[in-house]
Amino acid sequence: MDMLQGLHQRVSTPQLTEPAPDAEQLEKMFQAALRAPDHARLRPWRFLTISGEARHALGEVFAKAALAEKPDLAPEAITRFKGLPLRAPLLVALICQVKQHPKVPAVEQQLSVGAAAQNILNAAYALGVGAMWRTGAVNYHPETAKGLGLSENEQLLGFIYMGTPGGSAKKQEPLETKDYVTSWQG
Ligand SMILES: Cc1cc2nc3c(=O)[nH]c(=O)nc-3n(C[C@H](O)[C@H](O)[C@H](O)COP(=O)(O)O)c2cc1C
């Protein structure tokens, strides 16, 4: 696939089925991630792959965080939180390791991890792998960070859900460049 064509056409895939991307496809996606722009070469990213039974463990983490937020959560809601990671055969947790640097504030490091995530999405699209970046209700809850084993200086920026595209490809809403771009004249 031509690179620009891929960039212009990429869509997220909410419905994902087995099989998960294989090791070779994952390697290509992570190599793309590692080419993200990165001020002072801090390499502020860390990724966790979560598949198989580990998805159930992540569902337990989500449910624990949701219960910490709302102790009287209905049983159906708890079951729903537990099932969230089962929406794809493989998830990639996006983690920003915020490092102290005199010229690189935390926001720039978060942007780098965001750019790495976008590179993963673009590479997935080029490989025919379905993918969607999700955060959801408990992404930023401290119990979620704790359950994933994050350190004090680490932030969870979401998960890329990945798998084989299910259903028909989503229609893209055409956007006009002129609605978002103007020439600044001073
Ligand atoms: C940081 C971030 C978090 C997101 N979290 C969610 C989410 O929890 N649930 C959801 O439906 N979409 C979420 N999205 C949006 C989807 O990933 C996707 O971009 C959106 O559905 C538009 O589809 P498109 O990428 O095909 O244009 C998130 C996007 C970003 C950048």
Side-chain angles (χ1 to χ4, degrees):
M1 180 188 290
D2 172 67
M3 187 171 174
L4 265 184
Q5 188 188 6
L7 291 176
H8 291 163
Q9 292 181 351
R10 184 209 63 82
V11 281
S12 300
T13 315
Q15 280 179 35
L16 297 161
T17 60
E18 301 278 353
D22 63 26
E24 196 181 325
Q25 290 171 318
L26 282 170
E27 174 65 15
K28 285 178 177 159
M29 288 186 257
F30 286 126
Q31 279 297 319
L34 301 181
R35 283 305 314 131
D38 170 19
H39 195 175
R41 297 185 178 164
L42 294 180
R43 318 298 190 219
W45 39 66
R46 185 160 85 86
F47 306 102
L48 300 173
T49 60
I50 302 164
S51 60
E53 279 303 304
R55 293 172 306 156
H56 291 280
L58 180 61
E60 295 292 335
V61 169
F62 285 167
K64 195 171 175 189
L67 273 168
E69 189 63 28
K70 193 170 185 294
D72 61 346
L73 201 62
E76 310 81 66
I78 298 170
T79 304
R80 195 181 67 77
F81 275 104
K82 286 184 181 174
L84 290 177
L86 306 179
R87 292 176 293 176
L90 186 140
L91 286 72
V92 174
L94 306 165
I95 298 164
C96 182
Q97 296 189 317
V98 181
K99 297 169 185 178
Q100 292 301 319
H101 190 281
K103 289 186 184 156
V104 189
V107 64
E108 293 192 11
Q109 300 180 47
Q110 291 157 339
L111 287 167
S112 274
V113 181
Q118 184 64 42
N119 277 4
I120 292 176
L121 292 174
N122 285 326
Y125 185 74
L127 291 163
V129 172
M132 180 156 173
W133 187 349
R134 295 180 182 274
T135 44
V138 293
N139 189 86
Y140 305 106
H141 198 283
E143 281 294 339
T144 306
K146 192 173 149 198
L148 281 168
L150 268 56
S151 308
E152 274 295 304
N153 69 325
E154 293 185 319
Q155 298 168 342
L156 180 63
L157 299 189
F159 298 87
I160 298 184
Y161 285 60
M162 287 185 192
T164 302
S168 50
K170 202 171 63 174
K171 274 260 174 275
Q172 285 181 76
E173 179 195 353
L175 298 174
E176 295 285 342
T177 306
K178 66 175 169 46
D179 293 339
Y180 300 94
V181 183
T182 48
S183 169
W184 189 71
Q185 300 294 332

